[in-house]
């Protein structure tokens, strides 16, 4: 039986059950799971804000989870470049990306290489973005009171 290599990426800021669910589910579907952790600068380029948890600490948090085999540092959003380097069979992403033009293109390209995209249900009850917004509101409110 051939080895199945999986790949997923994330910021993993304010690590929560949604992150754990993706890693756990992905690991259950492959022999080797490679996890890309996004650099702070790339997060800033994409979202115009930095993660709350610094990059090196996010790496340490993910390293403590048992549902992966290798960590790579994500410098780029180029998923085909990642495939060329890592040769994964399955890319795992949250289903909030399903239908996005970027991932439709990625799906077509990966199919040509014999790989595919697997979408996992997005954990709607938690979101690092929502947590960050709530923390910012608390901070703003407390700053006005002082």
């Amino acid at each position: 039986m051939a080895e199945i290599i999986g790949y997923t990426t994330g910021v993993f800021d304010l690590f929560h059950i949604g992150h754990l669910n993706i890693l756990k589910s992905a690991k259950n579907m492959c022999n080797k799971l490679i996890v890309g952790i996004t650099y702070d600068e790339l997060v800033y380029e994409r979202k115009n804000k930095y993660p709350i948890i610094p990059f090196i600490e996010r790496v340490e948090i993910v390293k403590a989870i048992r549902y992966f085999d290798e960590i790579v540092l994500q410098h780029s959003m180029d998923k085909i470049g990642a495939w060329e380097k890592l040769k994964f069979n399955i890319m795992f992403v949250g289903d909030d990306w399903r239908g996005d033009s970027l991932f439709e293109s990625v799906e077509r390209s990966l199919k040509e290489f014999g790989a595919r995209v697997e979408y996992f249900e997005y954990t709607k009850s938690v979101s690092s973005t929502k947590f960050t917004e709530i923390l910012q509101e608390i901070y703003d409110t407390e700053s006005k009171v002082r």
Side-chain angles (χ1 to χ4, degrees), residues 11-15 19 38-40 43-44 47 49-58 61 127-137 139:
V11 177
F12 301 103
D13 198 17
L14 302 174
F15 196 91
H19 297 134
T38 309
Y39 270 117
D40 292 348
V43 175
Y44 187 81
K47 298 184 176 186
K49 64 180 181 175
Y50 287 102
I52 291 174
I53 308 297
F55 174 77
I56 197 72
E57 292 178 18
R58 291 183 283 119
I61 290 166
S127 161
S128 296
T129 300
K130 287 178 189 175
F131 289 158
T132 303
E133 289 169 359
I134 290 166
L135 290 171
Q136 187 64 52
E137 284 179 33
Y139 176 79

Side-chain angles (χ1 to χ4, degrees), residues 12 35 37 40 50 58 68 90 92 101 103 105 108 121:
F12 301 103
V35 177
I37 302 177
D40 292 348
Y50 287 102
R58 291 183 283 119
F68 78 95
I90 309 170
F92 300 102
S101 60
F103 272 92
S105 173
R108 285 190 299 274
E121 185 176 344

Side-chain angles (χ1 to χ4, degrees), residues 13-57:
D13 198 17
L14 302 174
F15 196 91
H16 55 70
I17 192 69
H19 297 134
L20 185 62
N21 288 343
I22 283 181
L23 295 177
K24 191 175 183 180
S25 297
K27 181 61 181 157
N28 283 333
M29 293 182 67
C30 59
N31 305 98
K32 178 180 180 181
L33 179 61
I34 302 168
V35 177
I37 302 177
T38 309
Y39 270 117
D40 292 348
E41 292 75 14
L42 183 56
V43 175
Y44 187 81
E45 284 176 25
R46 299 276 299 160
K47 298 184 176 186
N48 203 31
K49 64 180 181 175
Y50 287 102
I52 291 174
I53 308 297
F55 174 77
I56 197 72
E57 292 178 18

